[in-house]
């Protein structure tokens, strides 16, 4: 048995769990392919198009944390908005989500999307000195966030994401050295950024054949490394070299899958941690552009609804204010008014199914139906809601 067949790989990632239980984890990857399995793994043709994955939800992607300078209400609200942006970037793979007009509208009522939040104290050692900071952990309602993504015209990047083998060498002036599963702390900045983008990476075990491949890594020779990557039953690989370059550090990267190059880029900075972390974003961007799909939440357009329980001017103002702050509602028109009831026309950015989902996550409107009728199809033909 060739030496390479006895090697193992390790997966480096930050567990996508609530911040209180988050740890830096290293796990053994699946066994190295051999025999028929190896033949199957190698049967993927270079450059072969990847099928669009069906949307798969990972609940932990809807929870994130951000640092705060205090615990006052203003700081908490601003941090919650930043947390929403992080979650949306993770779910869509689009780093420009904050510029989307529908997303910007959603920030005015960001509390309606949250299911819970809490503060925790964190610390890290910098130059031997402990540095303390306060973190806010925020969880968002998955159905409401998905409806917002659809209403904003954004694509959803499924959780069915590849975990590339990370072939990384670092040259600090004393020669290039391969980063293996035994040096996970070296790539902690990359792992942290990977958490933020919903990416995980595998590290090689670092046996003799892999150490000998350092020259291929320096040359960013993807075809040469694909042979080693396939031994891990993997077809995705991120190849990078980090080296000193005045006034600081630089990195060159290339990402391939199934023999096709998806992205190639360079980055430089005085901080080596940012240089190492630079291996994540372009990978996430490239994979999201290829794999993200639109969610099915119904057809955008004009929909009529009946709202009961509107008996006073104050209740009318509360209803209209609520609807106008919903990011998916583009316009509200009153069609009919009768004692205790309104018929409204809503111009929605998504279908009625998505509207029902977002309403259900709040406490302002509740879907109702005529007696004996199917709640989804009221006898009047117009969806009915009650103002709470």
């Amino acid at each position: 048995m060739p030496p390479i067949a006895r090697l193992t790989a390790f997966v480096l990632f930050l567990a996508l769990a609530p911040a209180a239980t988050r740890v830096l984890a290293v796990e053994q990857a699946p066994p190295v392919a051999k025999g028929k399995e190896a033949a199957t793994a190698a049967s993927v043709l270079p450059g072969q198009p990847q099928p669009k994955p069906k949307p798969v939800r990972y609940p932990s992607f809807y929870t994130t944390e951000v640092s705060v300078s205090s615990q006052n209400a203003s700081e908490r609200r601003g941090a919650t908005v930043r947390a929403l942006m992080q979650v949306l970037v993770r779910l869509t793979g689009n780093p420009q989500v904050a510029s989307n007009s529908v997303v910007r509208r959603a920030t005015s009522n960001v509390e309606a999307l949250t299911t819970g939040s809490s503060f925790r104290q964190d610390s890290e050692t910098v130059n031997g000195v402990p540095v303390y900071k306060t973190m806010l952990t925020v969880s968002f309602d998955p159905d409401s966030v998905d409806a917002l993504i659809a209403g904003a015209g954004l694509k959803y990047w499924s959780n069915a994401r590849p975990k590339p083998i990370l072939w990384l060498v670092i040259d600090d002036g004393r020669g290039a050295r391969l980063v293996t599963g035994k040096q996970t702390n070296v790539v902690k900045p990359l792992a942290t950024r990977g958490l933020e983008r919903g990416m995980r990476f595998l590290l090689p075990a670092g046996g003799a054949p892999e150490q000998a491949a350092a020259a291929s890594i320096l040359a960013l020779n993807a075809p040469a490394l694909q042979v080693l990557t396939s031994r891990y039953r993997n077809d995705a690989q991120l190849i990078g070299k980090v080296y000193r370059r005045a006034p600081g550090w630089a990195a060159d990267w290339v990402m391939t899958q199934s023999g096709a190059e998806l992205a190639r880029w360079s980055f430089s900075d005085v901080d080596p941690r940012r240089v190492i972390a630079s291996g994540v974003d372009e990978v996430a961007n490239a994979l999201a552009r290829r794999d993200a799909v639109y969610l099915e939440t119904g057809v955008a357009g004009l929909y009529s609804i009946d709202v009961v329980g509107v008996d006073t001017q104050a209740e009318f103002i509360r209803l209209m204010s609520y609807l106008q702050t919903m990011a998916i509602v583009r316009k509200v028109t009153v069609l009919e008014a009768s004692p205790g009831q309104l018929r409204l026309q809503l111009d929605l950015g998504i279908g009625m199914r998505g509207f029902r989902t977002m309403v259900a996550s709040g406490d302002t409107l509740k879907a109702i139906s005529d007696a004996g009728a199917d709640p989804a199809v009221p006898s009047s033909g117009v969806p009915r809601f009650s103002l709470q």
Side-chain angles (χ1 to χ4, degrees):
M1 179 185 298
I4 187 66
R6 297 193 295 269
L7 299 179
T8 56
F10 298 88
V11 59
L12 171 68
F13 68 100
L14 289 176
L16 296 177
T21 60
R22 183 176 300 165
V23 294
L24 182 65
V26 180
E27 294 183 358
Q28 188 172 346
V32 176
K34 52 186 176 181
K36 292 183 179 180
E37 290 181 342
T40 301
S43 65
V44 180
L45 298 177
Q48 185 176 14
Q50 299 293 309
K52 287 283 187 181
K54 294 182 179 180
V56 178
R57 178 186 285 172
Y58 191 178
S60 292
F61 278 6
Y62 297 82
T63 296
T64 192
E65 67 176 10
V66 293
S67 61
V68 293
S69 58
S70 71
Q71 298 188 23
N72 64 45
S74 176
E75 177 71 10
R76 184 172 193 147
R77 191 180 188 287
T80 302
V81 171
R82 286 189 284 119
L84 175 62
M85 295 304 117
Q86 285 189 13
V87 166
L88 290 176
V89 170
R90 181 188 293 168
L91 292 172
T92 64
N94 183 349
Q96 306 301 322
V97 291
S99 63
N100 183 283
S101 60
V102 175
V103 170
R104 289 200 304 269
R105 284 188 60 199
T107 62
S108 65
N109 194 27
V110 68
E111 294 81 7
L113 301 175
T114 64
T115 58
S117 61
S118 61
F119 291 100
R120 75 175 183 89
Q121 298 300 312
D122 193 15
S123 66
E124 62 178 339
T125 301
V126 179
N127 297 325
V129 178
V131 177
Y132 299 93
K133 55 185 176 180
T134 302
M135 308 297 295
L136 176 66
T137 303
V138 187
S139 296
F140 295 92
D141 176 64
D143 291 332
S144 296
V145 170
D146 288 357
L148 173 60
I149 290 172
L154 299 168
K155 290 184 176 181
Y156 185 90
W157 185 18
S158 173
N159 180 46
R161 307 178 183 186
K163 295 185 286 288
I165 294 285
L166 175 61
W167 298 106
L168 175 63
V169 294
I170 298 178
D171 188 352
D172 60 1
R174 296 175 293 177
R177 290 170 293 172
L178 176 69
V179 178
T180 72
K182 297 179 181 179
Q183 295 99 36
T184 56
N185 283 338
V186 174
V187 288
K188 185 176 179 180
L190 182 142
T192 301
R193 185 57 181 163
L195 167 69
E196 295 172 357
R197 296 299 304 268
M199 288 291 304
R200 295 186 292 176
F201 299 87
L202 298 169
L203 282 173
E210 295 173 339
Q211 295 289 348
S216 295
I217 300 174
L218 284 170
L220 302 182
N221 187 340
L225 292 163
Q226 190 65 54
V227 177
L228 297 177
T229 296
S230 64
R231 298 295 183 93
Y232 290 106
R233 294 193 295 185
N234 201 328
D235 65 345
Q237 56 184 13
L238 172 61
I239 307 166
K241 58 180 180 180
V242 174
Y243 51 94
R244 286 191 178 275
R245 188 176 72 185
W249 295 78
D252 299 322
W253 303 93
V254 62
M255 168 69 189
T256 71
Q257 186 172 17
S258 300
E261 182 175 309
L262 301 182
R264 181 184 292 264
W265 69 102
S266 298
F267 183 86
S268 61
D269 196 275
V270 295
D271 189 340
R273 293 171 299 180
R274 284 197 289 267
V275 173
I276 291 174
S278 71
V280 175
D281 283 312
E282 292 303 322
V283 172
N285 294 344
L287 291 172
R289 282 194 299 267
R290 187 191 69 184
D291 296 338
V293 297
Y294 288 108
L295 293 171
E296 178 54 53
T297 56
V299 180
L302 300 177
Y303 292 87
S304 295
I305 65 170
D306 286 339
V307 181
V308 300
V310 187
D311 299 304
T312 67
Q313 183 180 18
E315 289 172 335
F316 173 78
I317 293 174
R318 183 162 67 90
L319 170 64
M320 297 302 285
S321 297
Y322 168 71
L323 292 173
Q324 290 169 357
T325 58
M326 293 185 70
I328 62 170
V329 178
R330 297 182 292 212
K331 185 179 179 181
V332 183
T333 303
V334 178
L335 298 180
E336 298 177 17
S338 56
Q341 178 172 314
L342 291 174
R343 174 160 293 183
L344 306 175
Q345 184 183 74
L346 306 180
D347 184 356
L348 299 179
I350 56 178
M352 181 52 62
R353 182 171 60 187
F355 175 77
R356 287 179 179 275
T357 296
M358 294 200 76
V359 164
S361 67
D363 55 6
T364 302
L365 287 179
K366 180 180 179 181
I368 59 175
S369 65
D370 294 334
D374 183 344
V377 186
S379 59
S380 64
V382 177
R384 302 179 71 235
F385 299 84
S386 63
L387 181 66
Q388 302 301 293

